[in-house]
Amino acid sequence: MKGLVHIYTGNGKGKTTAAVGLGLRAWGRGMKVLMVQFLKGMESGELIAIRKLGDGFHVNPGIYMGKFTWNMNEKELAQAASLQKQQFEYAKNEIMTGKWDLLILDEIMAAITAGMIPLEDVLAFIKGRPDKLEIVMTGRNAPDILIEAADYVSNIQEVKHPLKKGVAARRGIED
Ligand code: ATP
Ligand code: MG
């Protein structure tokens, strides 16, 4: 089976959870799933769940920098950029082992938008992937060039979000 490329983008809630849901479905069918996260690294409920699934579903959460990119100084930004590049290199090396059937690049769009991972490198990565590898990418503002290269693109648009009413992030729902 030839692997296809998915994108979950848009400003609404549900991109990462959709990607994890697809990963869970694939895992259930015996596929080997790898999720690599960008610009994140905070503990989240799905990471706790995935660790219980054994070797067939692995997450590399990256390293949490403790703040958003827009609050970082130049030195912190350079450090964050280097960490994102490391995550991308990790994903590249892992897929070349042929061990994985589904790769989730969570929040890769944010790393691209922040100029930390070159768009051309991501495009080359997709084009040069092993034939059977299915790839899922998430994050707001997916660049047109990736949308063109993908097979499934879902734009999750916010209609309502309780944060707008002042409801803070809730355990197990937002994290
Ligand atoms: P989730 O992880 O819940 O599937 P997501 O991956 O679509 O959400 P991100 O853009 O990665 O959303 O943002 C991560 C966090 O921001 C999550 O806690 C999510 O619930 C929250 N969030 C998502 N969309 C919105 C929004 N439109 N307004 C405010 N917060 C949001
Ligand atoms: Mg997300």
Side-chain angles (χ1 to χ4, degrees):
M1 184 172 84
K2 187 178 160 33
L4 299 179
V5 178
H6 306 237
I7 292 177
Y8 294 117
T9 192
N11 64 353
K13 172 177 165 64
K15 298 174 290 294
T16 298
T17 44
V20 170
L22 188 64
L24 190 63
R25 174 179 282 172
W27 177 86
R29 292 293 190 186
M31 290 167 73
K32 299 271 182 285
V33 184
L34 175 66
M35 176 156 87
V36 180
Q37 295 193 301
F38 295 85
L39 290 166
K40 270 206 172 156
M42 285 117 100
E43 185 71 328
S44 194
E46 66 270 27
L47 304 186
I48 300 166
I50 291 166
R51 282 188 212 115
K52 297 185 178 177
L53 300 178
D55 293 342
F57 198 149
H58 181 73
V59 186
N60 180 338
I63 298 157
Y64 181 47
M65 293 277 299
K67 50 173 95 166
F68 292 113
T69 48
W70 49 89
N71 291 325
M72 290 179 191
N73 63 33
E74 228 162 88
K75 199 174 154 209
E76 289 164 336
L77 273 174
Q79 196 193 345
S82 141
L83 289 174
Q84 306 325 304
K85 288 195 175 80
Q86 269 176 40
Q87 287 298 86
F88 192 55
E89 287 305 311
Y90 167 85
K92 275 199 221 166
N93 291 334
E94 282 297 316
I95 67 163
M96 285 315 160
T97 64
K99 196 162 110 189
W100 306 105
D101 301 303
L102 174 68
L103 172 69
I104 301 169
L105 300 172
D106 188 35
E107 283 298 344
I108 182 115
M109 304 310 176
I112 296 168
T113 308
M116 295 174 170
I117 298 176
L119 178 55
E120 312 80 66
D121 292 9
V122 179
L123 196 61
F125 175 80
I126 291 170
K127 298 218 156 130
R129 75 188 186 277
D131 213 40
K132 66 156 199 176
L133 184 73
E134 193 94 6
I135 297 185
V136 181
M137 295 180 284
T138 84
R140 297 174 185 213
N141 306 313
D144 288 344
I145 205 160
L146 290 185
I147 288 178
E148 266 166 50
D151 302 287
Y152 299 77
V153 179
S154 300
N155 186 18
I156 302 182
Q157 200 203 328
E158 182 200 311
V159 177
K160 293 175 96 176
H161 195 292
L163 192 78
K164 299 271 151 68
K165 291 191 296 194
V167 178
R170 292 173 310 138
R171 174 117 305 173
I173 306 298
E174 264 79 36
D175 74 354

Coordinates of all heavy atoms in Angstrom, one line a residue, residues 88-163:
F88 N 13.6 17.5 13.4 CA 13.4 17.1 12.0 C 14.4 16.1 11.5 O 14.1 15.1 10.8 CB 13.5 18.4 11.1 CG 13.0 18.2 9.7 CD1 11.8 17.7 9.4 CD2 13.8 18.6 8.6 CE1 11.3 17.6 8.1 CE2 13.4 18.4 7.3 CZ 12.1 17.9 7.1
E89 N 15.7 16.3 11.9 CA 16.7 15.3 11.6 C 16.4 14.0 12.2 O 16.6 12.9 11.5 CB 18.1 15.8 12.1 CG 18.7 17.0 11.4 CD 18.8 16.7 9.9 OE1 19.4 15.6 9.5 OE2 18.4 17.6 9.1
Y90 N 15.9 14.0 13.4 CA 15.5 12.7 14.1 C 14.4 12.0 13.2 O 14.6 10.8 12.9 CB 14.9 13.0 15.5 CG 14.2 11.9 16.1 CD1 14.9 10.9 16.8 CD2 12.8 11.8 16.0 CE1 14.3 9.9 17.4 CE2 12.2 10.7 16.6 CZ 12.9 9.8 17.3 OH 12.2 8.7 17.9
A91 N 13.4 12.8 12.8 CA 12.4 12.2 11.9 C 13.0 11.6 10.6 O 12.6 10.5 10.2 CB 11.3 13.2 11.6
K92 N 13.9 12.3 10.0 CA 14.5 11.9 8.8 C 15.2 10.6 9.0 O 15.1 9.6 8.2 CB 15.5 12.9 8.3 CG 15.0 14.0 7.5 CD 16.1 14.7 6.7 CE 16.0 16.2 6.7 NZ 17.2 16.9 6.3
N93 N 16.0 10.5 10.1 CA 16.8 9.3 10.3 C 15.9 8.1 10.6 O 16.1 7.0 10.2 CB 17.8 9.5 11.5 CG 18.9 10.5 11.2 OD1 19.2 10.6 10.0 ND2 19.4 11.2 12.2
E94 N 14.8 8.4 11.4 CA 13.9 7.3 11.8 C 13.2 6.7 10.6 O 13.1 5.5 10.5 CB 12.9 7.8 12.8 CG 13.5 7.9 14.2 CD 13.9 6.6 14.8 OE1 13.2 5.6 14.7 OE2 15.0 6.5 15.4
I95 N 12.8 7.6 9.7 CA 12.0 7.0 8.5 C 12.9 6.2 7.6 O 12.4 5.2 7.0 CB 11.2 8.0 7.7 CG1 12.1 9.0 7.0 CG2 10.2 8.7 8.6 CD1 11.3 9.7 5.9
M96 N 14.2 6.5 7.6 CA 15.1 5.8 6.8 C 15.4 4.3 7.3 O 15.8 3.5 6.6 CB 16.4 6.5 6.6 CG 16.3 7.7 5.7 SD 15.4 7.2 4.2 CE 14.8 8.7 3.6
T97 N 15.0 4.1 8.6 CA 15.2 2.7 9.1 C 14.1 1.8 8.5 O 14.3 0.6 8.6 CB 15.0 2.7 10.7 OG1 13.7 3.1 11.0 CG2 16.0 3.7 11.4
G98 N 13.1 2.4 8.0 CA 12.0 1.5 7.4 C 11.1 0.9 8.4 O 10.2 0.1 8.1
K99 N 11.3 1.3 9.7 CA 10.6 0.7 10.8 C 9.2 1.2 10.9 O 8.3 0.6 11.5 CB 11.4 1.1 12.1 CG 11.1 0.4 13.3 CD 12.3 0.6 14.3 CE 11.9 1.4 15.5 NZ 13.0 1.8 16.3
W100 N 8.9 2.4 10.4 CA 7.6 3.1 10.7 C 6.7 3.1 9.5 O 7.1 3.2 8.3 CB 7.9 4.6 11.1 CG 8.8 4.6 12.3 CD1 10.1 5.0 12.3 CD2 8.5 4.3 13.6 NE1 10.7 5.0 13.5 CE2 9.7 4.5 14.4 CE3 7.4 3.8 14.3 CZ2 9.8 4.3 15.8 CZ3 7.5 3.6 15.7 CH2 8.7 3.8 16.4
D101 N 5.4 3.0 9.8 CA 4.4 3.0 8.7 C 3.7 4.3 8.7 O 3.2 4.7 7.6 CB 3.3 1.9 9.0 CG 4.0 0.5 9.0 OD1 4.6 0.1 8.1 OD2 3.8 -0.2 10.1
L102 N 3.5 5.0 9.8 CA 2.8 6.3 9.9 C 3.7 7.3 10.7 O 4.1 6.9 11.8 CB 1.5 6.1 10.6 CG 0.7 7.4 10.8 CD1 0.2 8.0 9.6 CD2 -0.6 7.1 11.7
L103 N 3.9 8.4 10.1 CA 4.7 9.4 10.8 C 3.8 10.7 11.0 O 3.3 11.2 10.1 CB 5.9 9.8 10.0 CG 6.7 11.0 10.5 CD1 7.5 10.7 11.8 CD2 7.7 11.5 9.4
I104 N 3.8 11.1 12.3 CA 3.0 12.4 12.6 C 4.0 13.4 12.9 O 4.8 13.3 13.8 CB 2.1 12.2 13.8 CG1 1.1 11.0 13.5 CG2 1.3 13.5 14.1 CD1 0.2 10.6 14.7
L105 N 4.0 14.5 12.1 CA 4.9 15.7 12.4 C 3.9 16.8 13.0 O 3.3 17.6 12.3 CB 5.5 16.2 11.1 CG 6.4 15.2 10.4 CD1 6.9 15.7 9.1 CD2 7.7 14.8 11.3
D106 N 3.8 16.7 14.3 CA 2.8 17.6 15.0 C 3.4 19.0 15.2 O 4.5 19.2 15.7 CB 2.5 17.0 16.4 CG 1.4 17.7 17.1 OD1 0.4 18.1 16.4 OD2 1.4 17.8 18.3
E107 N 2.6 20.0 14.7 CA 3.0 21.4 14.8 C 4.2 21.7 13.9 O 4.8 22.8 14.1 CB 3.3 21.8 16.2 CG 2.1 22.1 17.1 CD 1.1 23.2 16.6 OE1 1.6 24.0 15.7 OE2 0.0 23.2 17.0
I108 N 4.4 20.9 12.9 CA 5.5 21.3 12.0 C 5.2 22.6 11.3 O 6.2 23.3 10.9 CB 5.8 20.1 10.9 CG1 6.9 20.5 10.0 CG2 4.6 19.9 10.1 CD1 8.1 19.6 10.1
M109 N 3.9 22.9 11.0 CA 3.6 24.2 10.3 C 4.1 25.4 11.1 O 4.6 26.4 10.6 CB 2.1 24.3 10.1 CG 1.4 23.2 9.4 SD 2.3 22.8 7.8 CE 1.3 21.4 7.3
A110 N 4.1 25.3 12.5 CA 4.5 26.4 13.3 C 6.0 26.5 13.2 O 6.6 27.6 13.2 CB 4.1 26.1 14.8
A111 N 6.8 25.4 13.1 CA 8.2 25.5 13.0 C 8.6 26.0 11.6 O 9.6 26.8 11.5 CB 8.8 24.1 13.2
I112 N 7.8 25.8 10.6 CA 8.1 26.3 9.3 C 7.8 27.8 9.3 O 8.6 28.6 8.9 CB 7.2 25.6 8.2 CG1 7.6 24.2 8.1 CG2 7.3 26.3 6.9 CD1 6.6 23.3 7.2
T113 N 6.6 28.2 9.8 CA 6.2 29.6 9.9 C 7.2 30.5 10.7 O 7.5 31.6 10.3 CB 4.8 29.8 10.5 OG1 3.9 28.9 9.8 CG2 4.3 31.2 10.4
A114 N 7.8 29.9 11.7 CA 8.8 30.6 12.5 C 10.1 30.6 11.9 O 11.1 31.2 12.4 CB 8.9 29.9 13.9
G115 N 10.2 30.0 10.7 CA 11.5 30.1 9.9 C 12.6 29.2 10.5 O 13.8 29.3 10.3
M116 N 12.1 28.2 11.3 CA 13.1 27.3 12.0 C 13.4 26.0 11.1 O 14.5 25.5 11.3 CB 12.6 26.9 13.3 CG 12.4 28.1 14.3 SD 11.7 27.6 15.8 CE 12.0 29.1 16.7
I117 N 12.5 25.7 10.3 CA 12.7 24.5 9.4 C 12.3 25.0 8.0 O 11.2 25.5 7.8 CB 11.8 23.3 9.7 CG1 12.2 22.8 11.1 CG2 12.0 22.2 8.7 CD1 11.4 21.7 11.6
P118 N 13.3 25.0 7.0 CA 13.0 25.5 5.7 C 11.9 24.6 5.0 O 11.9 23.4 5.0 CB 14.3 25.3 4.9 CG 15.3 25.1 6.0 CD 14.7 24.5 7.1
L119 N 10.9 25.4 4.4 CA 9.8 24.7 3.7 C 10.3 23.8 2.6 O 9.7 22.7 2.5 CB 9.0 25.9 3.1 CG 7.8 25.5 2.2 CD1 6.8 24.6 3.0 CD2 7.0 26.8 1.8
E120 N 11.4 24.1 1.9 CA 11.9 23.3 0.8 C 12.3 21.9 1.4 O 12.2 20.9 0.8 CB 13.1 23.9 0.1 CG 12.9 25.3 -0.3 CD 13.1 26.3 0.8 OE1 14.3 26.4 1.3 OE2 12.2 27.0 1.3
D121 N 12.9 22.0 2.6 CA 13.4 20.7 3.2 C 12.2 19.8 3.6 O 12.3 18.6 3.4 CB 14.1 21.0 4.5 CG 15.5 21.7 4.3 OD1 15.7 22.1 3.1 OD2 16.2 21.9 5.2
V122 N 11.1 20.4 4.0 CA 9.9 19.6 4.3 C 9.3 19.0 3.0 O 9.0 17.8 3.0 CB 8.9 20.4 5.1 CG1 7.6 19.6 5.4 CG2 9.5 21.0 6.4
L123 N 9.3 19.8 2.0 CA 8.8 19.3 0.7 C 9.7 18.2 0.2 O 9.2 17.1 -0.2 CB 8.8 20.5 -0.3 CG 8.0 20.3 -1.5 CD1 6.5 20.1 -1.2 CD2 8.2 21.5 -2.5
A124 N 11.0 18.3 0.3 CA 11.9 17.3 -0.2 C 11.8 16.0 0.7 O 11.8 14.9 0.1 CB 13.3 17.8 -0.1
F125 N 11.5 16.2 1.9 CA 11.3 15.1 2.9 C 10.1 14.3 2.4 O 10.1 13.0 2.4 CB 11.1 15.7 4.3 CG 10.8 14.7 5.3 CD1 11.8 13.9 5.9 CD2 9.5 14.6 5.8 CE1 11.5 13.0 6.9 CE2 9.2 13.7 6.8 CZ 10.2 12.9 7.4
I126 N 9.0 15.0 2.1 CA 7.8 14.3 1.7 C 8.0 13.6 0.4 O 7.6 12.4 0.3 CB 6.6 15.3 1.5 CG1 6.2 15.9 2.9 CG2 5.4 14.7 0.9 CD1 5.3 17.1 2.8
K127 N 8.6 14.2 -0.5 CA 8.8 13.6 -1.9 C 9.7 12.4 -1.8 O 9.6 11.5 -2.6 CB 9.3 14.7 -2.8 CG 8.3 15.8 -3.0 CD 8.2 16.4 -4.4 CE 6.9 17.0 -4.6 NZ 6.9 18.3 -5.2
G128 N 10.7 12.5 -0.9 CA 11.7 11.4 -0.8 C 11.4 10.4 0.2 O 12.3 9.5 0.5
R129 N 10.2 10.4 0.7 CA 9.9 9.4 1.8 C 9.8 8.0 1.2 O 9.5 7.8 0.1 CB 8.6 9.8 2.5 CG 7.3 9.4 1.6 CD 6.1 10.0 2.3 NE 4.9 9.6 1.6 CZ 4.4 10.2 0.5 NH1 5.0 11.2 0.0 NH2 3.3 9.8 -0.1
P130 N 10.0 7.0 2.1 CA 9.8 5.6 1.6 C 8.4 5.4 1.1 O 7.4 6.1 1.7 CB 10.0 4.8 2.9 CG 10.8 5.7 3.8 CD 10.4 7.1 3.5
D131 N 8.2 4.7 0.1 CA 7.0 4.6 -0.6 C 5.8 4.2 0.3 O 4.7 4.7 0.1 CB 7.1 3.5 -1.7 CG 6.3 3.8 -2.9 OD1 6.3 5.0 -3.3 OD2 5.7 2.9 -3.5
K132 N 6.0 3.4 1.3 CA 4.8 2.9 2.1 C 4.5 3.9 3.2 O 3.5 3.7 3.9 CB 5.1 1.5 2.6 CG 6.2 1.4 3.6 CD 6.1 0.2 4.5 CE 7.0 0.5 5.8 NZ 7.0 -0.5 6.8
L133 N 5.3 4.9 3.4 CA 5.2 5.7 4.6 C 4.0 6.7 4.5 O 4.0 7.5 3.5 CB 6.4 6.5 5.0 CG 6.4 7.3 6.3 CD1 6.4 6.4 7.5 CD2 7.5 8.3 6.3
E134 N 3.1 6.7 5.4 CA 2.0 7.6 5.5 C 2.5 8.8 6.4 O 3.1 8.5 7.5 CB 0.8 6.9 6.1 CG -0.5 7.6 6.0 CD -1.4 7.2 4.8 OE1 -1.0 6.2 4.1 OE2 -2.4 7.8 4.6
I135 N 2.2 10.0 6.0 CA 2.7 11.2 6.8 C 1.5 12.0 7.2 O 0.6 12.3 6.3 CB 3.7 12.0 6.0 CG1 5.0 11.2 5.8 CG2 4.1 13.3 6.8 CD1 6.1 12.0 5.1
V136 N 1.4 12.5 8.4 CA 0.4 13.4 8.9 C 1.2 14.7 9.4 O 2.1 14.5 10.2 CB -0.4 12.8 10.0 CG1 -1.5 13.8 10.5 CG2 -1.1 11.5 9.6
M137 N 0.8 15.8 8.9 CA 1.4 17.1 9.4 C 0.2 18.0 10.0 O -0.8 18.0 9.5 CB 2.0 17.8 8.3 CG 3.2 17.1 7.7 SD 4.0 17.9 6.4 CE 2.9 17.7 5.1
T138 N 0.5 18.6 11.1 CA -0.5 19.5 11.7 C 0.1 20.9 12.0 O 1.3 21.1 12.0 CB -1.0 18.9 13.1 OG1 -0.1 19.3 14.2 CG2 -1.2 17.4 13.1
G139 N -0.8 21.8 12.2 CA -0.5 23.2 12.5 C -1.2 24.2 11.7 O -1.6 23.9 10.6
R140 N -1.4 25.4 12.3 CA -2.1 26.4 11.6 C -1.3 26.9 10.4 O -0.1 26.7 10.4 CB -2.3 27.6 12.5 CG -3.1 27.2 13.7 CD -3.2 28.4 14.7 NE -4.0 27.9 15.9 CZ -4.7 28.6 16.7 NH1 -4.9 29.9 16.4 NH2 -5.4 28.0 17.7
N141 N -2.0 27.5 9.5 CA -1.3 28.2 8.3 C -0.4 27.3 7.5 O 0.8 27.6 7.2 CB -0.5 29.4 8.8 CG -1.3 30.4 9.6 OD1 -2.4 30.7 9.2 ND2 -0.8 30.8 10.7
A142 N -0.9 26.1 7.1 CA -0.2 25.3 6.2 C 0.2 26.0 4.9 O -0.7 26.6 4.3 CB -1.0 24.0 5.9
P143 N 1.4 26.0 4.5 CA 1.8 26.7 3.3 C 1.2 26.0 2.0 O 1.0 24.8 2.0 CB 3.3 26.6 3.2 CG 3.8 26.2 4.6 CD 2.6 25.5 5.2
D144 N 0.8 26.8 1.0 CA 0.1 26.3 -0.2 C 0.9 25.2 -0.8 O 0.3 24.2 -1.3 CB 0.0 27.4 -1.2 CG -1.1 28.4 -0.8 OD1 -1.9 28.1 0.2 OD2 -1.1 29.6 -1.3
I145 N 2.2 25.3 -0.8 CA 3.0 24.3 -1.5 C 2.9 22.9 -0.8 O 2.9 21.9 -1.5 CB 4.5 24.8 -1.5 CG1 5.3 24.2 -2.7 CG2 5.2 24.7 -0.2 CD1 6.5 25.0 -3.0
L146 N 2.7 22.9 0.5 CA 2.5 21.6 1.2 C 1.1 21.1 0.9 O 0.8 19.9 0.8 CB 2.7 21.8 2.7 CG 4.2 22.0 3.1 CD1 4.3 22.0 4.6 CD2 5.1 20.9 2.5
I147 N 0.1 22.1 0.9 CA -1.3 21.7 0.6 C -1.3 21.0 -0.8 O -2.0 20.0 -1.0 CB -2.2 22.9 0.7 CG1 -2.3 23.3 2.2 CG2 -3.5 22.7 0.0 CD1 -3.1 24.5 2.4
E148 N -0.6 21.5 -1.8 CA -0.5 20.9 -3.1 C 0.1 19.5 -3.1 O -0.4 18.7 -3.8 CB 0.3 21.8 -4.0 CG -0.5 22.8 -4.8 CD 0.4 23.8 -5.5 OE1 1.4 23.4 -6.1 OE2 0.1 25.0 -5.3
A149 N 1.1 19.4 -2.2 CA 1.8 18.1 -2.2 C 1.0 17.0 -1.4 O 1.3 15.8 -1.5 CB 3.2 18.3 -1.5
A150 N 0.0 17.4 -0.6 CA -0.7 16.5 0.2 C -1.8 15.8 -0.5 O -2.3 16.3 -1.6 CB -1.2 17.2 1.5
D151 N -2.3 14.7 0.0 CA -3.5 14.0 -0.5 C -4.7 14.2 0.2 O -5.8 14.3 -0.4 CB -3.2 12.5 -0.5 CG -1.9 12.2 -1.3 OD1 -1.9 12.2 -2.5 OD2 -0.8 11.9 -0.6
Y152 N -4.6 14.4 1.5 CA -5.8 14.7 2.4 C -5.5 16.1 3.1 O -4.4 16.2 3.7 CB -6.0 13.8 3.5 CG -6.2 12.3 3.2 CD1 -5.2 11.4 2.8 CD2 -7.5 11.7 3.5 CE1 -5.4 10.1 2.7 CE2 -7.7 10.4 3.3 CZ -6.7 9.6 2.9 OH -6.9 8.2 2.7
V153 N -6.4 17.0 2.9 CA -6.2 18.3 3.6 C -7.5 18.6 4.3 O -8.5 18.8 3.7 CB -5.8 19.4 2.7 CG1 -5.6 20.7 3.5 CG2 -4.5 19.1 1.9
S154 N -7.4 18.7 5.7 CA -8.6 19.1 6.4 C -8.3 20.5 7.1 O -7.3 20.6 7.8 CB -8.9 18.1 7.5 OG -9.2 16.9 6.9
N155 N -9.2 21.4 6.8 CA -9.0 22.8 7.4 C -10.0 22.9 8.5 O -11.2 23.0 8.3 CB -9.3 23.8 6.3 CG -9.0 25.2 6.7 OD1 -8.4 25.4 7.7 ND2 -9.6 26.2 6.0
I156 N -9.5 22.8 9.7 CA -10.4 22.9 10.9 C -10.6 24.3 11.3 O -9.7 24.9 11.8 CB -9.8 22.0 12.1 CG1 -9.6 20.6 11.6 CG2 -10.7 22.1 13.3 CD1 -9.1 19.6 12.6
Q157 N -11.8 24.8 11.0 CA -12.0 26.2 11.3 C -12.7 26.5 12.6 O -13.7 25.8 12.9 CB -12.9 26.8 10.1 CG -12.8 28.3 10.0 CD -14.0 28.8 9.3 OE1 -14.6 28.2 8.4 NE2 -14.4 30.0 9.7
E158 N -12.2 27.4 13.4 CA -12.9 27.7 14.6 C -14.2 28.4 14.3 O -14.3 29.4 13.6 CB -12.1 28.7 15.5 CG -12.7 28.9 16.8 CD -12.2 30.2 17.5 OE1 -11.0 30.4 17.6 OE2 -13.1 31.0 17.9
V159 N -15.3 27.9 14.9 CA -16.6 28.5 14.9 C -16.8 29.1 16.3 O -17.2 30.3 16.5 CB -17.7 27.6 14.5 CG1 -19.1 28.2 14.6 CG2 -17.5 27.0 13.1
K160 N -16.5 28.3 17.3 CA -16.6 28.7 18.7 C -15.4 28.1 19.5 O -15.0 27.0 19.1 CB -17.9 28.3 19.4 CG -19.1 29.0 18.8 CD -20.4 28.4 19.5 CE -20.8 29.3 20.7 NZ -22.1 28.8 21.2
H161 N -14.9 28.8 20.4 CA -13.9 28.2 21.4 C -14.1 28.8 22.7 O -14.2 30.1 22.8 CB -12.5 28.4 20.9 CG -11.5 27.5 21.6 ND1 -11.2 27.6 22.9 CD2 -10.8 26.4 21.2 CE1 -10.3 26.7 23.3 NE2 -10.0 26.0 22.2
P162 N -14.3 28.0 23.8 CA -14.6 28.6 25.1 C -13.6 29.6 25.7 O -13.9 30.4 26.6 CB -14.8 27.4 26.0 CG -14.1 26.3 25.3 CD -14.2 26.6 23.9
L163 N -12.4 29.5 25.1 CA -11.3 30.5 25.6 C -11.8 31.9 25.4 O -11.5 32.8 26.2 CB -10.0 30.2 24.8 CG -8.8 30.9 25.3 CD1 -8.2 30.2 26.6 CD2 -7.7 31.0 24.3

